[in-house]
């Protein structure tokens, strides 16, 4: 029975009809009426009315639409009456209204007989359940209704119950495990396949929502879940099989090890699905994805399985041959000019992507044997698809198998290079692809050892009859050339450019565009060597830029701009002469004539202006007034965000490029990423202008700081925008400082508005890698402003942010340790964990630099705030984790360096860690501790004299380790050497046997790696020479060699080198050694360097 008057229902029925009208005007007016006459003044009546429409309407379409609209309205946000608190609309209703509506909604769910309508009602029920669950409230009668429905004799009712569980798993999270187990067990064994699948989806959703520990109680359900699959496969129902596999993928992502005992059976089943062509591509690819998910999340389980790797490699290669089935001679392929056609849903792409994942997660030792069991045979096959697949497999695995393949490149190239002469164009294309990918994945080795093999074979491919092959050969050259040194490319430049110039005359525009990109890359790598071709190329590019061209030529002109400006960077302003200004004027003309928002020239232009700024330097200033307005417009862009209420809107946005969809509380937020990418790029370019133009950029600084950079630090929609803004802030400060002076009131005002915002984001930034960038922004900004720029309030705020960051770091480390304890022996860290550890190490490093910069600029005034974190330093400096020990040691080094004798107040926190650190097996920690002892000797004064004297034997032991001169250990060794010198020079009052120490110290030289340590050690050595110390005179030849080695290594430079050379000349004269004879024992390079100093 209805609780609302008939006239309300009549009005609502009329409104629903208008809202579903095909006429835009009618629909818009109805939306307006919905918002003003219903939602705002009487939301409770509206929701009850919609439920009664669901209950009483004879039209299924009306019932369905009313359920959809109910869900949409219920999720809107408004303030709770009489408060400032905002909640979702349903939760803001009076308690009696909520009870009445939800009871009637459950009645609708129980009485609806049409499955598609019941599903819509179920979605509405799930939405209200979610709101209750997230608000910490219970909807008791719902759970009873759903458990009752899951036991119903009506299969559709049972399915509906599990669908709601899948959407809102929170409603069963707190139920007793036995009840949940029983419900799912019954669902998995249901006679109706749709119910079994709904139960699988619900279980996957539920399992993802619960914590790790309770999950183990549900592992026993896995056999029942897997038993659902074979009958579906046997029935040939690909759609149902796809649903089941997607649910398994969800489970494999969350807890792959619960499949351990049945993993081999699951592998064999999945392989049969991948092999079964009659099941269709989607189901086969989902089976492949399920197997690849296990590789992603538990590679050790995959490696241990006897058939997993060989079967997966075989199936991937098989899928990769599923290409060009209706185009055997590649006529259609070669005629196509759409090179960016979407192919991600095709079998051959799925196979390639899976091979890439297998290689990256399982590694070369596991993947290479079964792969190369097939590849030689496939490369000699008469079927072009086999040869194509083999080459694409090499492209796919080279990154993940790099360590093993890099030693076997000769053999790999023996397979790949002949493909460049294959009779089939798609095989030649794949050969180019493999060489391009290898040039990136084996960068350095490919260019240095195999340039002759690669370039002499790929350059002729530029003459191919097929434009797509020509273009891809040119694209592969981009990969090779961008990693090549100028000296490697120089001998090939004539041949490369003559071929690429021919491609510029191709009738195919995409070939011309690629040729321009390749020429630009070669110019960037060849640098000044490219000057030889300047007179040939630049007039051609100017000609393209001057031509009035239609829309289809806009990208070509954009590529010509890119090419011209990269050539400009390569050859420089002097070589360009007047052409530099001509090019800038051409760019200005093009910019003025851009009218369409989608014109690709706009984006290219922004980068081109940035390059020309670097080319022209201060001569670029007159053009800023034309360049900056469009750049500032992009940099100031707001986030384009849409709230998508229903599936139709989501589907529509999914069809458009440049959107990211984020699920949030039952809704979907659409964020236009193209706008944000442009904003990020614009801010990066502003950084270039500020750095290049310095004081001349001052007119723009205040506006950019206020409207772009500082707001950008808290632009939480897009991490890259925040990172670019963090780079921008110190660059703007530097520009202003150059214009107004270090102590100017103008800079002081800018700093005042900047520092508070920068400190604020140190506590607000949620992403670890971006937080590191914010600390970098802070310390670079402080470095720009200089001495005593921070108040005690600023330093207190910094310490608060550091405290929070360190607490969060400790929580993450603890969680990783707990997770590690649950892994099997031999199991590697997941990729995500390794990235997280790397992010944390970067964060600690940048925090360290921030502490260093504050101490450097504030000195002892930082100590009161700094000392608040002593419990953290103590915990870190004694931690088993070497990264934490190093972090704390470096901070103690800063206290010693910048606080002088006051550092002694903290000796109980510093002394023992330095002693332990010098004995640490981790070289970075020995280096930090050794440096700290030396700096205590240099800056610590009398209070530290006894400690540093007592530390000398330990410093000698650092230098005398068996591996002391190995690459990993040499910096610790050289720091210990320099520290002994510092103690002897600055603080030797408590050293009882100075001459004996000097005698031994000579043997800790030379210092040929650490440019910071060398000046201290060699200045002390020069002093000993000047004093004609017997230790020096008795080992004059050896000392001369140590000096020569440091000069050759360039650890001695400037005034220190000059002083050392003078001292060495004095040593030669005093000790009477034959310098030429000593030099003859050294390398020719060292001899030449030393003679250049000695004249």
């Amino acid at each position: 029975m209805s609780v609302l008057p008939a006239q309300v229902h009549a009005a609502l029925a009329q409104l629903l009809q208008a809202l579903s009208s095909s006429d835009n005007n009618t629909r818009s007016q109805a939306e307006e009426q919905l918002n003003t006459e219903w939602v705002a003044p009487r939301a409770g009546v509206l929701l009850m009315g919609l439920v009664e429409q669901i209950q009483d309407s004879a039209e299924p379409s009306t019932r369905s639409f009313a359920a959809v609209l109910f869900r949409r309205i219920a999720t809107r946000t408004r303030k709770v009456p009489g408060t400032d608190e905002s909640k979702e609309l349903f939760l803001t209703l009076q308690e009696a209204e909520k009870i009445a509506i939800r009871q009637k909604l459950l009645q609708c769910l129980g009485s609806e007989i049409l499955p598609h309508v019941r599903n819509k009602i179920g979605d509405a029920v799930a939405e209200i359940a979610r709101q209750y669950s997230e608000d910490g409230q219970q909807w008791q009668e719902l759970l009873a209704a759903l458990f009752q429905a899951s036991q119903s004799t009506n299969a559709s009712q049972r399915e509906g119950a599990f669908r709601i569980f899948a959407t809102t798993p929170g409603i069963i999270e707190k139920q007793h495990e036995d009840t949940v187990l029983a419900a799912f067990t019954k669902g998995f064994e249901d006679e109706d396949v749709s119910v079994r699948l709904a139960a699988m989806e619900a279980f996957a959703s539920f399992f993802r929502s619960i914590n790790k520990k309770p999950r183990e109680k549900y592992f026993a359900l896995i056999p029942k879940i897997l038993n659902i699959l074979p009958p579906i496969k046997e029935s040939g129902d690909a759609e149902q099989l796809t649903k089941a596999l997607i649910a398994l993928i969800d489970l494999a992502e969350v807890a792959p090890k619960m499949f351990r005992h049945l993993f081999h059976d699951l592998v064999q089943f999945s392989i049969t699905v991948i092999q079964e062509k009659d099941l269709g591509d989607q189901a086969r690819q989902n089976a492949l994805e399920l197997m690849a998910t296990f590789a992603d999340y538990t590679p050790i389980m995959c490696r241990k399985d006897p058939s997993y790797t060989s079967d997966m490699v075989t199936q991937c290669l098989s899928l990769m041959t599923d290409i060009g089935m209706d185009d055997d001679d590649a006529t259609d392929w070669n005629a196509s000019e759409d090179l960016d056609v979407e192919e991600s849903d095709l079998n051959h792409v799925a196979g390639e992507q899976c091979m890439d994942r297998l290689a990256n997660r399982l590694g070369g030792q596991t993947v290479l044997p079964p792969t190369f069991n097939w590849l030689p045979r496939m490369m000699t096959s008469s079927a072009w698809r086999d040869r194509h697949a083999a080459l694409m497999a090499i492209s796919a695995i080279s990154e993940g198998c790099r360590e093993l393949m890099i030693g076997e490149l000769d053999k790999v190239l023996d397979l790949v290079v002949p493909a460049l002469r294959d009779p089939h164009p798609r095989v030649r294309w794949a050969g180019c692809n493999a060489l391009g990918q290898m040039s990136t994945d084996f960068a350095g080795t490919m260019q240095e050892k195999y340039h002759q093999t690669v370039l002499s074979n790929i350059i002729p491919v530029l003459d191919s009859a097929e434009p797509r092959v020509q273009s891809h050969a040119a694209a592969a050259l981009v990969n090779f050339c961008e990693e090549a040194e100028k000296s490697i490319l120089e001998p090939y430049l004539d041949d490369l450019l003559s071929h690429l110039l021919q491609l510029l005359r191709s009738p195919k525009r995409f070939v011309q565009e690629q040729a321009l990109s390749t020429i630009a890359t070669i110019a960037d790598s060849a640098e000044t060597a490219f000057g030889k071709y300047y007179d040939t190329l630049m007039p051609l590019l100017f000609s393209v830029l001057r031509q009035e061209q239609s829309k289809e030529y806009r990208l070509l002109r954009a590529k010509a701009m890119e090419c011209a400006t990269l050539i400009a960077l390569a050859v420089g302003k002097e070589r360009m002469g007047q052409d530099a200004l001509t090019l800038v004027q051409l760019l200005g003309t093009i910019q003025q004539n851009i009218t369409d928002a989608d014109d690709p020239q706009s984006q290219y232009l922004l980068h081109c202006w940035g390059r020309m700024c670097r080319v022209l330097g201060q001569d670029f200033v007159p053009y800023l007034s034309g360049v900056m307005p469009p750049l500032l417009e992009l940099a100031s862009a707001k986030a384009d965000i849409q709230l998508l209420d229903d599936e139709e809107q989501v589907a529509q946005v999914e069809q458009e490029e440049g959107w990211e969809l984020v699920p949030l509380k039952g809704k979907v937020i659409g964020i236009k990423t193209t706008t944000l990418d442009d904003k990020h790029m614009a801010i990066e370019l502003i950084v270039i202008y500020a750095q290049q133009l310095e004081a001349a950029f001052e007119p723009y600084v205040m506006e950019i700081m206020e409207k772009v950079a500082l707001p950008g630090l808290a632009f939480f929609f897009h991490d890259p925008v925040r990172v670019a803004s963090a780079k921008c802030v110190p660059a703007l400060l530097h520009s202003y400082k150059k214009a107004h002076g270090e102590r100017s009131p103008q800079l002081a005002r800018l700093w005042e508005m900047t520092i508070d915002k920068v400190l604020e984001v140190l506590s607000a930034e949620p992403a670890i890698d971006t937080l590191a960038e914010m600390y970098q922004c802070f310390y670079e900004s402080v470095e720009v402003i200089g001495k005593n720029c921070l108040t005690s309030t600023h330093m207190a705020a910094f310490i608060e942010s550091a405290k929070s960051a360190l607490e969060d770091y400790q929580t993450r480390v603890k969680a990783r340790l707990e997770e590690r304890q649950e892994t099997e022996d031999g199991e590697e860290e997941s990729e995500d964990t390794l990235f997280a550890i790397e992010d944390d190490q970067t964060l600690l490093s940048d925090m360290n630099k921030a502490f260093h910069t504050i101490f450097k600029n504030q000195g002892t005034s930082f100590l009161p705030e700094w000392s608040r974190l002593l419990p953290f330093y103590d915990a870190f400096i004694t931690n088993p984790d070497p990264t934490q020990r190093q972090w704390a040691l470096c901070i103690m080094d800063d206290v010693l360096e910048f606080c002088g004798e006051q550092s002694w107040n903290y000796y109980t926190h510093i002394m023992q860690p330095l002693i332990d650190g010098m004995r640490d097996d981790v070289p970075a920690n020995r280096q930090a501790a050794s440096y700290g002892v030396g700096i205590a000797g240099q800056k610590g004064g009398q209070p530290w004299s006894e400690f540093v004297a007592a530390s000398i034997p330990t410093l000698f032991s650092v230098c005398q380790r068996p591996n002391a001169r190995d690459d990993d250990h040499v910096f610790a060794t050289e720091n210990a050497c320099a520290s002994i010198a510092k103690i002897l020079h600055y603080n030797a009052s408590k050293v009882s046997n100075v001459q004996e120490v000097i005698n031994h110290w000579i043997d800790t030289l030379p210092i040929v790696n650490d440019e910071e340590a060398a000046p201290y050690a060699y200045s002390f050595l020069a002093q000993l020479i000047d004093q004609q110390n017997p230790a020096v005179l008795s080992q004059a030849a050896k000392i001369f060699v140590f000096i020569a080695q440091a000069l050759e290594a360039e650890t001695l430079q400037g005034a220190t080198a000059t002083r050392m050379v003078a001292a060495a000349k004095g040593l030669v004269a005093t000790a009477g050694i034959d310098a030429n004879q000593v030099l003859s024992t050294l390398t020719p390079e060292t001899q030449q360097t030393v003679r250049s100093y000695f004249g």
Side-chain angles (χ1 to χ4, degrees), residues 60 91 231 271 348-349 458 510 541 640 754 796 800 828 934 947 981 985:
L91 293 177
I271 294 298
H348 71 93
V349 176
I458 204 166
F510 70 85
L541 297 171
D640 186 351
T754 302
E800 275 305 311
E828 311 121 339
F947 168 73
H985 180 71

Side-chain angles (χ1 to χ4, degrees), residues 481 484-487 489-490 493 497 519-531 533 570-571:
C481 294
E485 295 293 329
K486 167 184 166 183
S487 57
L489 287 183
E490 211 163 342
L493 288 177
L497 289 160
I519 291 168
T521 303
I522 292 170
D524 197 31
S525 293
E527 297 171 340
T528 51
F530 201 83
Y533 310 95
V571 302

Side-chain angles (χ1 to χ4, degrees), residues 226 259-272 291 305 307:
L226 295 183
F259 292 89
R260 183 190 292 115
H261 300 301
L262 292 169
F263 184 59
H264 186 62
D265 295 340
L266 182 56
V267 171
Q268 292 184 312
F269 173 80
S270 299
I271 294 298
T272 64
M291 290 293 98
D305 186 83
S307 64

Side-chain angles (χ1 to χ4, degrees), residues 348-361:
H348 71 93
V349 176
E352 289 165 25
Q353 291 173 346
C354 188
M355 284 292 285
D356 175 56
R357 288 162 72 181
L358 293 176
N360 275 297
R361 295 305 294 136

